[in-house]
């Protein structure tokens, strides 16, 4: 009888005896309900560098905005921008994100503006590393979440629907990158027939077998929880991001133990034809987040999740000749969740005092956002305490 | 008699080459150890493949100062050509007759890192690769002097911005911290003095070649590592070569690349480093000392190195001629496994060892090995790869450095056994 057959017959708890890591997860599952609910973080990476100024439009300084972006500013006409001012923030949400307006009204959604870091780097890769590692590029291979998650829980730390572990990279973090739970389980079958290696003296082999048993453990958990899973029971935004977030919703609803999930929406590198590209992308984002929030609410998980978007950088304030914008610096981040304190945080963008390259100056260090999540949401020892926190959650 | 057994010939082949090449093992088997080592150390010269077109520096560089659109074009060109350059090295690794030279070039690439991403100059990285290749088994002094003059390095560590009026410490700092002494053996004042000595060393804006500008050189007196003088960059290099830490550092890196991820005994490092320094920094001498050492042959260190992505992806095909993936796919697999050639993650290079293995990379590794070795194991096909090992014992000894952890398949068949061994965790180590 092979491992999987055994698993099917015996159920997850006894199969756990084969892979010690799973036992803990199973135990946690059974006592669910008695212990406090696990708080989860869902990261949405907007790949390519999302333009903050056309996401949250500076209604309070519209003329200046319009003068810097004669061809790509969001149009004022039909009062589109006027009607979408968020509270007294002076900022308007892009009309293609209207699906999220109910969540804004319910106080379940907040924006943080002016987010960036000092001496901005304009390379996708290097700036992406800065965001993932929370250090200057090249100074660390350890993702920012890898500093926090090992003490948050012992078992599976996170699941990335994509191919890079990003903020969960590093030896101490137990995270899995997968296309989908289904594809992952079938890939993990490659290790089928692997013996359980009790004690290996060779440290290289010991590391390999430990990682292999992590993969198998995660695969066992997926099989246990995602075979005949509870369905989300609603329509979901029909886009790649929508399907990814549906997968995340399904995992959360079915009690997968990972506290962090990460999905990705590509296509924000809008050097040309920005208005169409970005508006479409933002509507994919809004539709998918709306479906996700609805599903979480419907299944009683909305208070357990915090959704956060991030992107490697914002874009140049002035438009270029191609109807687009080049790589920039400070941008905006969106957070959502039942426990979120709605509002717009951080200072308004100052279009009159740009940096030497014509980029927005950062007014909120991104590590302040990490600090907030660490301290106020995950309640962990906070390596970024010096940056303070924001009351968005 | 110390004639190499099959297993020892395999060990020498694998640790100094790319994969357990049957031909090489058979050539070394039965030779006295010293002769086998000399055979490895003195390969017949072989050519590098012709390089694809790479836009020269003096065309690409001005594009960056010519407005946003042209700058974006330059960026796109650099990305495309960067991938071409990665493909070039991958093919070179696949086809070379001198795997030791490739391995040493990769070793120095990881020692003196530079990246196509920061420099955005693939043609300079190609030149650097040829330079590393030339000195790969030559003299470390010459290598270090060439690195300090290398245009890609001058851009990568901002040496070309290091001028008298505004010294830039980046290269000087890494020279002390990573290339020679190591952290804790110098002060910030030493970094500043070294930076001054290298002022004016740059890249000629038109030719893209190394160039010293007298006007930007700071010829003043410097105090460096408790010595005073009007030092130039080469003087700094000489002083660093007189410090025993430099040879020790190279030795430590050799150990991690060729012997084990387990830390070396201090005594061994000192001893090998002495040989290295006394040979006037002859790299081949250090290699010879290492290959003749008890540590190299010790059972204790067998299988304690995790195969690098290059070793796994290319070495496996050089071991068994399975149908291989095309160049683009190989470039992508290297990326997924965390070893983008010409684009190490940072100036420290790839950490290697355990760091190669995460849940993500292990799955990619396993999928790759399963895919290339799968075939239809139940059909006898003439087209399957020819497996030379004559029986199961020899298969195990050939393909694995340490005994397998998994159970062997009960159904007989060489291709089935090879498939099973490739899936074993033991295949990931060397």
């Amino acid at each position: 009888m092979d491992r999987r057959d055994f698993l099917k017959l015996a159920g997850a708890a006894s199969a756990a005896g084969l892979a010690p890591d799973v036992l803990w997860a199973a135990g946690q599952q059974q006592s669910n309900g008695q212990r406090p609910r696990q708080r989860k973080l869902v990261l949405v990476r907007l790949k390519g560098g999302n333009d903050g100024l056309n996401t949250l439009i500076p209604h309070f300084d519209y003329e200046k905005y319009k003068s810097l972006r004669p061809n790509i500013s969001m149009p004022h006409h039909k009062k589109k921008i006027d009607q979408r001012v968020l509270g007294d923030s002076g900022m308007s949400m892009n009309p293609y994100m209207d699906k999220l307006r109910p969540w804004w009204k319910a106080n379940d959604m907040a924006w943080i503006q002016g987010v960036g870091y000092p001496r901005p780097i304009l390379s996708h890769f290097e700036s992406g590393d800065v965001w993932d590692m929370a250090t200057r590029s090249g100074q660390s291979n350890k993702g920012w979440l890898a500093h926090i998650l090992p003490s948050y829980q012992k078992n599976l730390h996170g699941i990335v629907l994509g191919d890079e572990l990003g903020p969960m990279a590093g030896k101490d973090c137990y995270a899995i990158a997968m296309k989908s739970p289904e594809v992952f389980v079938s890939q993990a079958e490659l290790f089928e027939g692997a013996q359980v290696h009790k004690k290996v003296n060779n440290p290289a082999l010991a590391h390999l077998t430990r990682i292999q048993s992590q993969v198998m453990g995660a695969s066992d958990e997926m099989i246990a929880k995602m075979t005949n899973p509870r369905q989300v029971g609603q329509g979901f935004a029909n886009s790649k991001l929508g399907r990814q977030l549906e997968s995340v919703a399904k995992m959360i609803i079915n009690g997968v133990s990972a506290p962090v999930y990460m999905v990705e929406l590509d296509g924000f590198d809008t050097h040309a034809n920005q208005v169409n590209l970005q508006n479409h992308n933002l509507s994919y984002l809004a539709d998918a987040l709306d479906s996700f929030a609805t599903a979480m609410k419907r299944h009683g998980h909305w208070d357990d999740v915090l959704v956060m978007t991030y992107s490697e950088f914002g874009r140049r304030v002035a438009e270029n000749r191609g109807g687009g914008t080049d790589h920039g610096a400070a941008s905006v981040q969106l957070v959502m969740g039942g426990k979120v304190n709605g509002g717009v945080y951080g200072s308004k963008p100052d279009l009159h005092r740009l940096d030497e390259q014509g980029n927005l100056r950062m007014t909120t260090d991104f590590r302040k956002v990490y600090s907030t999540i660490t301290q106020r949401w995950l309640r962990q020892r906070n390596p970024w305490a010096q940056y303070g926190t924001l009351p968005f959650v | 008699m110390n004639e190499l057994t099959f297993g020892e010939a395999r060990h020498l082949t694998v640790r100094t080459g790319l994969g357990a090449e049957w031909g090489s093992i058979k050539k070394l088997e039965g030779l006295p150890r010293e002769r086998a080592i000399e055979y490895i150390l003195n390969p017949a010269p072989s050519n590098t493949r012709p390089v694809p077109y790479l836009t020269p520096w003096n065309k690409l560089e001005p594009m960056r100062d010519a407005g946003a659109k042209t700058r974006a074009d330059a960026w796109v060109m650099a990305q495309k050509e960067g991938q071409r350059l990665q493909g070039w090295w991958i093919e070179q690794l696949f086809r070379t007759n001198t795997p030791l030279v490739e391995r040493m070039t990769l070793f120095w690439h990881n020692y003196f890192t530079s990246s196509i991403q920061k420099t955005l100059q693939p043609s300079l990285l190609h030149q650097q690769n040829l330079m590393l290749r030339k000195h790969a088994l030559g003299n470390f002094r010459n290598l270090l002097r060439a690195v300090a003059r290398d245009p890609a390095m001058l851009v990568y560590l901002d040496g070309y911005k290091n001028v008298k009026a505004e010294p830039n410490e980046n290269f000087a700092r890494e020279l002390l911290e990573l290339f020679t002494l190591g952290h804790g053996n110098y002060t910030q004042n030493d970094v500043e003095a070294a930076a001054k000595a290298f002022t004016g060393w740059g890249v000629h804006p038109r030719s893209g070649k190394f160039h010293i500008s007298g006007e930007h050189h700071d010829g003043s007196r410097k105090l460096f590592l408790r010595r005073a003088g009007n030092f130039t960059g080469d003087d700094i290099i000489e002083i660093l070569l007189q410090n025993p830490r430099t040879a020790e550092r190279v030795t430590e890196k050799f150990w991690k690349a060729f012997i084990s991820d387990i830390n070396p005994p201090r005594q061994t490092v000192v001893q090998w480093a002495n040989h290295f320094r006394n040979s006037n920094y002859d790299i081949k001498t250090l290699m010879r000392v290492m290959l003749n050492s008890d540590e190299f042959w010790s059972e204790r260190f067998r299988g304690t190195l995790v195969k690098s992505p290059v070793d796994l992806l290319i070495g496996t095909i050089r071991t068994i001629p399975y149908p291989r993936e095309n160049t683009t796919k190989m470039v992508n697999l290297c990326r997924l496994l965390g070893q983008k050639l010409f684009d190490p993650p940072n100036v420290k290079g790839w950490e290697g060892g355990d760091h190669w293995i995460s849940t993500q990379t292990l799955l990619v590794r396993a999928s790759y090995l399963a895919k290339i070795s799968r075939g239809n194991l139940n059909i006898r096909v003439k087209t399957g790869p020819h497996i030379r090992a004559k029986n199961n014992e020899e298969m195990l000894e050939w393909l694995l450095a340490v005994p397998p952890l998994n159970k062997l398949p009960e159904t007989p068949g060489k291709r089935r056994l090879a498939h099973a061994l490739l899936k074993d965790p033991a295949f990931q180590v060397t």
Side-chain angles (χ1 to χ4, degrees), chain A residues 125 138 141 163-165 171 175-176 184 190-191 194-195 197 202-203 205 207-209 211-212 214 321 326, chain B residues 68-69 117 302-303 335 346 351 354-355 357-360 362-363 366-367 370 405-407 423 425 428-429:
Chain A
F125 311 94
N141 296 331
D163 56 21
E164 274 163 63
L165 294 174
K171 263 178 85 174
I176 307 270
F184 168 67
L190 286 168
F191 299 128
Q195 319 291 303
H197 313 288
N202 173 337
L205 275 180
H207 176 68
L208 272 154
T209 53
I211 299 295
Q212 184 171 306
Q214 285 188 351
R321 282 174 300 172
D326 297 318
Chain B
K69 175 78 177 69
Q117 284 312 334
R302 297 285 171 98
R335 181 182 67 82
N346 58 56
E351 281 198 67
D354 286 0
H355 293 271
I357 304 295
S358 69
T359 54
Q360 174 206 355
L362 190 59
L363 274 172
S367 312
L405 299 184
N406 296 343
K407 268 202 212 102
K423 280 172 67 177
Q428 304 284 339
V429 297

Side-chain angles (χ1 to χ4, degrees), chain B residues 208-224:
Chain B
K209 299 257 187 284
F210 173 66
H211 163 79
I212 298 182
S213 149
E215 177 194 347
H216 291 303
H217 179 70
D218 182 342
S220 68
R221 214 173 133 79
K222 294 129 195 143
L223 189 66
F224 179 67

Side-chain angles (χ1 to χ4, degrees), chain B residues 181-402:
Chain B
L181 307 183
H183 198 72
N185 298 297
Y186 56 88
T187 64
Q188 171 60 20
N189 290 341
D190 294 323
V191 173
E192 286 170 21
K196 271 188 197 165
F198 282 99
T199 45
W201 289 38
V203 185
H204 193 277
R206 270 192 306 281
S207 69
K209 299 257 187 284
F210 173 66
H211 163 79
I212 298 182
S213 149
E215 177 194 347
H216 291 303
H217 179 70
D218 182 342
S220 68
R221 214 173 133 79
K222 294 129 195 143
L223 189 66
F224 179 67
L225 294 174
R226 296 195 205 139
R227 288 202 230 178
N230 300 339
F231 300 133
T232 64
D234 284 333
D235 296 331
I236 296 293
I237 288 175
E238 271 324 297
I239 295 172
L240 290 169
L241 288 172
Q242 285 161 22
N243 188 310
R245 271 303 301 157
T246 298
E248 286 174 13
R249 198 170 165 81
V250 178
T251 304
E252 287 160 2
K253 294 280 182 181
F254 258 61
W255 176 280
K256 292 261 171 177
F258 296 102
I259 308 258
S260 179
D261 207 31
I262 301 171
N263 287 331
R266 173 77 190 141
Q267 241 185 315
T268 307
V269 173
V270 172
Q271 203 189 340
W272 295 5
N274 276 338
H275 280 293
F276 185 35
R277 211 147 54 92
N278 293 339
S279 73
N280 197 17
Y281 288 98
D282 180 42
I283 298 165
K284 212 180 258 187
T285 298
L286 176 59
M287 194 76 178
R288 184 178 289 118
V289 168
M290 181 184 77
L291 295 180
N292 279 295
S293 71
D294 291 344
E295 287 87 345
F296 180 79
W297 297 97
S298 160
E299 288 293 330
R300 184 171 164 229
F301 299 119
R302 297 285 171 98
T304 58
L305 273 179
V306 174
K307 285 180 186 170
S308 71
V310 162
D311 207 356
L312 189 92
L313 294 170
I314 293 164
T316 304
I317 304 284
R318 290 178 64 109
T319 304
I320 305 178
Y322 290 121
R324 52 158 283 200
E325 304 279 11
N326 66 30
T327 316
T328 316
K329 281 208 174 127
M330 294 304 297
V331 168
N332 195 37
L333 280 163
C334 276
R335 181 182 67 82
L336 286 175
L337 292 182
Q339 193 176 27
K340 288 184 277 186
L341 297 175
F342 298 107
D343 186 16
N346 58 56
V347 62
K348 282 195 228 143
W350 295 286
E351 281 198 67
D354 286 0
H355 293 271
W356 290 129
I357 304 295
S358 69
T359 54
Q360 174 206 355
T361 58
L362 190 59
L363 274 172
V364 176
R365 282 171 174 241
S367 312
Y368 171 79
L369 293 173
K371 186 180 171 196
I372 57 170
S373 66
R374 192 165 37 219
N376 187 339
L377 302 170
N378 295 315
I379 304 173
R380 258 178 188 280
V381 277
K382 287 200 183 85
T383 53
H386 182 46
I387 291 179
R388 315 278 290 267
K390 55 184 183 293
N391 55 36
N392 283 8
E393 288 73 47
E394 201 172 63
M395 282 282 278
L396 259 67
E397 214 178 358
W398 174 40
L399 294 177
L400 302 182
V402 287

Side-chain angles (χ1 to χ4, degrees), chain A residues 39-151:
Chain A
R39 291 186 155 185
K40 297 185 186 279
L41 175 65
V42 179
L43 296 173
V44 183
R45 175 178 216 148
L46 309 180
K47 214 174 174 183
N50 180 37
D51 179 45
L53 279 180
N54 278 15
T55 308
L56 273 195
I57 298 125
H59 181 262
F60 74 98
D61 200 4
Y62 192 84
E63 289 314 312
K64 182 68 182 168
Y65 161 73
K66 175 92 188 162
S67 73
L68 288 161
R69 296 186 160 189
N71 298 301
I72 65 157
S73 48
M74 295 306 293
H76 208 282
H77 65 271
K78 300 179 200 159
K79 293 187 182 160
K80 268 194 167 166
I81 300 305
D82 289 337
Q83 286 173 352
R84 290 173 172 83
V85 179
L86 299 175
D88 56 4
S89 69
M91 304 297 289
S92 292
M93 188 162 74
N94 184 301
Y96 286 80
M97 301 184 86
D98 276 356
K99 271 271 175 62
L100 295 180
R101 286 173 69 79
W103 302 100
W104 167 263
K105 286 188 183 131
N107 254 342
D108 286 350
M109 174 177 156
W111 288 94
I112 310 145
Q113 49 186 354
V115 194
Y117 55 92
R119 293 182 290 128
I121 301 172
L122 304 192
S123 140
H124 292 288
F125 311 94
E126 290 188 38
S127 197
D129 282 353
V130 171
W131 277 86
D132 282 342
M133 313 297 167
T135 57
R136 294 305 281 187
S137 183
Q139 288 178 4
S140 167
N141 296 331
K142 191 169 166 179
W144 70 276
L145 284 165
H147 292 273
I148 299 165
L149 295 174
S151 63

Side-chain angles (χ1 to χ4, degrees), chain A residues 44 99 161 179 235-248 263-266 280-292:
Chain A
V44 183
K99 271 271 175 62
L161 294 173
K179 276 209 181 71
F236 228 92
N238 185 21
S239 64
K240 193 176 164 214
L241 182 69
R243 283 185 291 278
Q244 287 189 346
L245 280 172
E246 185 173 13
S247 242
V248 172
V263 295
E264 180 180 289
L265 178 59
D266 201 350
H280 274 110
N281 249 353
L282 290 179
S283 77
Y284 288 140
L285 175 66
D287 292 0
L289 288 179
D290 173 50
S291 301
F292 180 73

Side-chain angles (χ1 to χ4, degrees), chain A residues 31 103 219 315:
Chain A
S31 61
W103 302 100
S219 161
R315 307 196 73 81

Side-chain angles (χ1 to χ4, degrees), chain A residues 202-343:
Chain A
N202 173 337
L205 275 180
H207 176 68
L208 272 154
T209 53
R210 189 173 68 87
I211 299 295
Q212 184 171 306
S213 68
Q214 285 188 351
V215 171
M216 290 159 74
S219 161
D220 286 348
E221 185 179 339
M222 289 296 158
I223 293 166
K225 302 206 172 129
M226 302 294 283
T227 311
N228 304 317
R230 271 175 74 192
Q231 295 300 321
V232 177
Q234 68 179 50
F236 228 92
N238 185 21
S239 64
K240 193 176 164 214
L241 182 69
R243 283 185 291 278
Q244 287 189 346
L245 280 172
E246 185 173 13
S247 242
V248 172
K250 226 159 140 181
M251 287 189 262
I252 291 175
I253 291 164
N254 287 284
V256 170
S257 64
V260 179
Y261 299 83
M262 184 164 144
V263 295
E264 180 180 289
L265 178 59
D266 201 350
F268 285 92
D269 195 18
T270 48
H271 286 282
N273 189 21
Q274 164 164 322
V275 177
N276 283 333
L277 292 174
Q278 194 201 16
N279 286 348
H280 274 110
N281 249 353
L282 290 179
S283 77
Y284 288 140
L285 175 66
D287 292 0
L289 288 179
D290 173 50
S291 301
F292 180 73
T294 308
M296 288 296 97
K297 202 150 191 172
R298 177 192 182 104
H299 291 272
H301 285 285
W302 188 225
D303 284 350
D304 314 332
V305 294
L306 182 71
V307 182
M308 177 178 94
T309 68
Y310 77 108
S311 192
E312 62 264 43
F313 39 59
R315 307 196 73 81
R316 199 69 43 85
V317 174
E319 67 186 34
N320 63 25
R321 282 174 300 172
T325 48
D326 297 318
H327 300 177
S331 189
V332 297
Q333 283 186 276
L334 166 65
V335 289
M336 287 177 79
K339 293 281 189 197
V340 162
N341 301 316

